[in-house]
Each structure stands twice: as C-alpha cells, then as structure tokens.
Amino acid sequence: MPDVMKTVLLNPPSFENFDGGASSRWPATREIESYWYPVWLAYPAGLIPGSRLVDASPHKIDWKQTIEICKSYEFLVLYTSTVGFYSDIKLIRKIKEANPGLKIAFVGPHGHIKPEETLNASEDIDFVVRGEFDHSVAEFAHGKPLETIAGACFRKDGKIVMNTPRPQLHTAELDALPFATDAYKRDLQIDRYNVPFLLHPFVSFYTTRGCPAMCTFCMWPQTISGHAWRTRSVDNVVQEVKNTLEYFPQMKEIFFDDDTFNIRRDRAIELSQKFKPLKFQWSCTARCHSKYEELKAMADGGARLFIVGFESGDPQILKNIKKGATIEMAREFMKNCKKVGIKVHGDFIIGLPGETKETINNTIEFAKELDCETIQVSLAHAMPGTELHEQMSRDGFLRVEALADSGGHQLPHIEYPHLSKADMMEGVNRFYDEYYFRPRVAWRIVREALWDSHERKRLYHEATDFLKLRSERWKWVRQGGDIDKTMIAVPAPPSASGND
C-alpha cells in the first residue's frame, strides 16, 4: 500500500459562535449558539487512514491553535462557506507561513459554484473540488495525480483546469462509505453540539443525499447534493444507528439530517419499523406531505420531532418559490402530528418574492394557527448558486449589502421598492414576539425543563442569548437598517434596477 498523506479535514474557526458549514444550511452566527455536525467532512475522514477531523468552532479551537495543528500535516481539506470565505483565505495564509509545504483543498458549496473565483482568491489554494468530494480528496491523499481526479479544479501553466465532474454516489457507493459516526467517535466531543429544539446531547448523520424538491431558495439541492434523491439501504442505516447507540450511551437522540427524510412513504415506514425494537428517540427533517398512516408508523418507531419548512402563510409566495406544498397540506400535517404525538419545529422565512407587510402578518397568524412546538424565523437569503439569487439579481432586488455583518450575523440583502430591509427585520422580530410571548407557549417551553436540571440550565442560557439578540435587532430596525461594516458583498444590481 502506498504512503498516504497525513491529512487534516477542517471546519475552520472564523466568527464567534459561527456555524459555518459541513452540514449547516444557513451559514451564520446563530441567534442562540448552535452547531451542526460536520457530516460532509466525516466521510473522507474515514476514507483516509491516519486523518484527523477538526471542527473548530464548537470545540473552541481558535486561529492560533488551528495553525499549530496544521503544522504537523501534509494535506489540509478546508470546508468553506460564502459567509466565511474571506476569513478562511486569511487563515490559510497564516497556515502556509507556518507550513509552506502543506497542500490545501477547498470544498463546499462556495467552491462548487465559483471554482475559478475561489482559486483566484488565493495562491495558497492548491485545488478546489466541485460536487461531492468524498473520494476526490481521498484519492489525492493516496497519491493520485490531480489531472486524473474527477471533480478537481486546479492551476496548470497559468490556466485553470476543470476536470470532468464526478458522478454522484448511489446506494451501493453510499453503503460502501465509512460511517460518519466512526469519525465522530474518534475525533469529536458530542456534548459540544447544541441545537435548541433537539435533545442534548444529540448525534446527526444522513440516510440519503439530494432532494427532488425545487424550492428556489434552498442551497443544497442546487449545489453539492443535487436534486437526485439517493438512498442508503435500510439495513446500512440501521447498522449505523446500532453503532451510534453503542458508541454514545449518553446521547439522548439521533437526528437524521437528510434534506428531506420522508420523501418516500414506504422507506420512511420501513425504517421506522426497523427502528422500533431499538427503542431510541429520533428526529428528522420532513416535508408536510406525509399522511396519518406514515406519521403513526414513524411515531411508533421512536420519532420525536420533525423540522418542517413551512416558509410562508401566503399561497402565492409558496408558488413563487416552487415549494410544492400548500397551506391546506400544512394544516392537515400538523393536525396529524399532534394526533400521533410528534412535535414540530417550524421554519419560516421573511422576504421571499411576493412578500408584503400584509403577507408577513398573514404568515404570523398562520404560524400561530399551526402552533408548532418551536419555530425559527429567517430573513430570505439569496445564496449564490440558487435560482432565488439569479431571480433577485435579475429583477434588481439584490442589494450590495452584505450577507452578514462583521460578526457573521445574518443581515437582509434583499430589498423591494415596497418593503425595506428594516421592514423585514421588524417582521422577524415581531414574528418571534407575537409567537413566543403567548402565555401557553411560554408555559409549554418552561414545562419541559421543570424536572430536568440540564434542560433548565440550557433554557436559561438560550433565553438570555435570544433576548440579547432581540434587543440588538430592534436597535438595528430603529436605526433604519444601517450598518457600519459589511463582510460578504453580493453582486450589485444593474443601474436600471427598480431600487435606484
């Protein structure tokens, strides 16, 4: 067996409390400190003997410590995001100064969308991988020449070479990958990962890749994972569940982080039936198309909570974003979830195409009607590589403002002639206030923590963080949406835009 390069796979440090990639669908500094697992990096970490997976932010590994770690490696695989990209460029300059011989590959959606721009941003980047990068970086670590690695983009003789795309992995290839949880057990501390609506500690991984839904704003299916829905076999998933239960006896639940776990009814039911005798709690992402029979089977198999993107309470906005779901479907889904005892964390977005002050009010009322256990309200973000980005840029609604402020916090960068950035931020703030400051909702949340000291402490810290950010957001609105410094610029709209 040939020598394998000593490899470190890095989810890098950047802003404080920044959840920047490798599984995060909204790269940003969170309202409440939250971290998702670096699932995408875990697979090549398992394919490269002797490698190390470093997830800097949750493990409180700073720049200096990261540079020190990288001194002893030959190959660095860095997962970058649009928001954290320029921070990552500065970091690798320092790393190269400390270890000039280190080879560096950038992976993730940003490089997939803009491979040439990514390479041109820094001479320190040796190559970029487009698409799924599991085998591409593993092949390089095993000594395969860049010219022969599918998906790789690199410089040669002053020009950028883009190799042929790598075919997507399907069931047999996905089953052949090492389990992500093997890398977690080796390199990560699961108590470092906190998501407010999941039980702590939790562990997450994928059972599928890709999503056939056509939502215009969603980054993953339009970049790395694609619209082709590709599954691991049921038995392969069950085996990883069994291993996870053995590896992490302190774990309180497993989260299946698929783009949409319940796309196919028969598979969701079969998995749930196989989960039932294992007697563990689990949560997952879900679309609101599942009927009562499927939901009952999932509840019987241990399902505790679904994350569901309802997005808006306006039927036309749902059509505008190609959601493929209706208000009526959402109502029936929530009614059946309550019947079978599955909780729902509802995701909503303010500022999608067609948004007005009236539709914001309608969505707030719709959310109250659905009465999810918890909610998240996000500002519409047109991430590069998405149909929404193209649409907003074409129509002149994509402003030159940043995706994030100087601390990595999400900022509105879409603005309409009839709806300002401040209007949308005010809508987010009011949404949270009207939803959570209802007595029965507040009591429902507090009641969960009454008999669990760990949950009480977590609730206290989360509430403190949320109220602090709430105050900052209201201040931002009162100032009319002005900010002193931007971090990640987006392309300027044409001069003839409706915003001029």
Side-chain angles (χ1 to χ4, degrees), residues 301-323:
R304 184 190 70 86
L305 175 142
F306 296 148
I307 300 178
V308 182
F310 296 110
E311 323 308 359
S312 175
D314 184 82
Q316 187 57 52
I317 289 178
L318 294 179
K319 292 177 182 178
N320 293 345
I321 62 173
K322 303 180 182 178
K323 183 63 187 176

Side-chain angles (χ1 to χ4, degrees), residues 71-110:
K71 283 181 180 178
S72 59
Y73 286 87
E74 301 170 292
F75 179 34
L76 166 64
V77 180
L78 187 146
Y79 191 103
T80 192
S81 67
T82 298
V83 176
F85 180 69
Y86 291 107
S87 172
D88 299 339
I89 292 297
K90 292 177 183 177
L91 174 63
I92 62 168
R93 177 82 294 269
K94 296 295 184 183
I95 290 173
K96 277 276 194 174
E97 288 174 359
N99 185 358
L102 183 73
K103 297 296 182 182
I104 298 178
F106 268 35
V107 297
H110 187 86

Side-chain angles (χ1 to χ4, degrees), residues 204-361:
S204 70
F205 56 87
Y206 298 137
T207 79
T208 64
R209 290 187 181 182
C211 179
M214 304 302 290
C215 305
T216 62
F217 61 87
C218 190
M219 179 177 67
W220 287 94
Q222 299 179 76
T223 57
I224 286 184
S225 62
H227 286 297
W229 192 65
R230 297 158 289 129
T231 67
R232 294 168 56 185
S233 69
V234 168
D235 288 343
N236 183 257
V237 173
V238 170
Q239 186 57 57
E240 184 162 21
V241 167
K242 290 178 179 178
N243 288 7
T244 304
L245 294 172
E246 179 184 342
Y247 291 164
F248 310 110
Q250 75 275 38
M251 176 191 68
K252 292 187 178 177
E253 79 174 323
I254 293 175
F255 179 73
F256 298 114
D257 200 13
D258 308 29
D259 288 316
T260 309
F261 180 87
N262 66 329
I263 281 289
R264 206 176 74 207
R265 174 180 171 275
D266 62 319
R267 184 174 185 271
I269 291 175
E270 184 180 1
L271 278 169
S272 300
Q273 290 171 340
K274 292 286 183 73
F275 291 163
K276 187 175 181 178
L278 300 179
K279 300 184 186 306
F280 71 102
Q281 292 190 103
W282 55 276
S283 299
C284 69
T285 55
R287 285 176 65 83
C288 64
H289 66 265
S290 292
K291 303 299 182 183
Y292 177 82
E293 180 187 4
E294 180 183 351
L295 296 173
K296 182 65 167 64
M298 295 170 82
D300 290 344
R304 184 190 70 86
L305 175 142
F306 296 148
I307 300 178
V308 182
F310 296 110
E311 323 308 359
S312 175
D314 184 82
Q316 187 57 52
I317 289 178
L318 294 179
K319 292 177 182 178
N320 293 345
I321 62 173
K322 303 180 182 178
K323 183 63 187 176
T326 66
I327 301 297
E328 291 72 25
M329 288 169 63
R331 286 177 176 139
E332 182 185 0
F333 178 84
M334 279 302 303
K335 181 177 70 175
N336 287 330
C337 283
K338 290 176 187 294
K339 280 184 180 179
V340 302
I342 295 176
K343 297 177 181 178
V344 174
H345 173 81
D347 283 345
F348 298 89
I349 301 175
I350 297 295
L352 293 166
E355 193 80 276
T356 65
K357 291 182 179 180
E358 182 181 1
T359 61
I360 291 174
N361 291 336

Side-chain angles (χ1 to χ4, degrees), residues 434-483:
E434 291 192 25
Y435 194 89
Y436 278 120
F437 292 159
R438 295 178 291 160
R440 65 190 181 90
V441 176
W443 165 243
R444 186 168 65 200
I445 294 170
V446 171
R447 183 182 60 201
E448 295 288 324
L450 279 179
W451 310 111
D452 188 327
S453 60
H454 177 75
E455 288 301 309
R456 280 200 303 276
K457 290 177 183 176
R458 190 162 73 130
L459 177 60
Y460 172 78
H461 289 299
E462 289 169 359
T464 301
D465 289 345
F466 174 76
L467 290 172
K468 180 182 177 183
L469 183 61
R470 174 180 177 271
S471 175
E472 292 172 354
R473 279 175 164 170
W474 278 117
K475 180 180 178 182
W476 191 92
V477 171
R478 288 192 297 271
Q479 293 174 342
D482 294 326
I483 53 176

Side-chain angles (χ1 to χ4, degrees), residues 14-18 28-29 83 404-410 485 487:
S14 53
F15 313 107
E16 185 179 359
N17 298 339
F18 184 73
T29 298
V83 176
D405 67 13
S406 57
H409 297 97
Q410 185 188 35
K485 183 180 179 183
M487 287 299 298

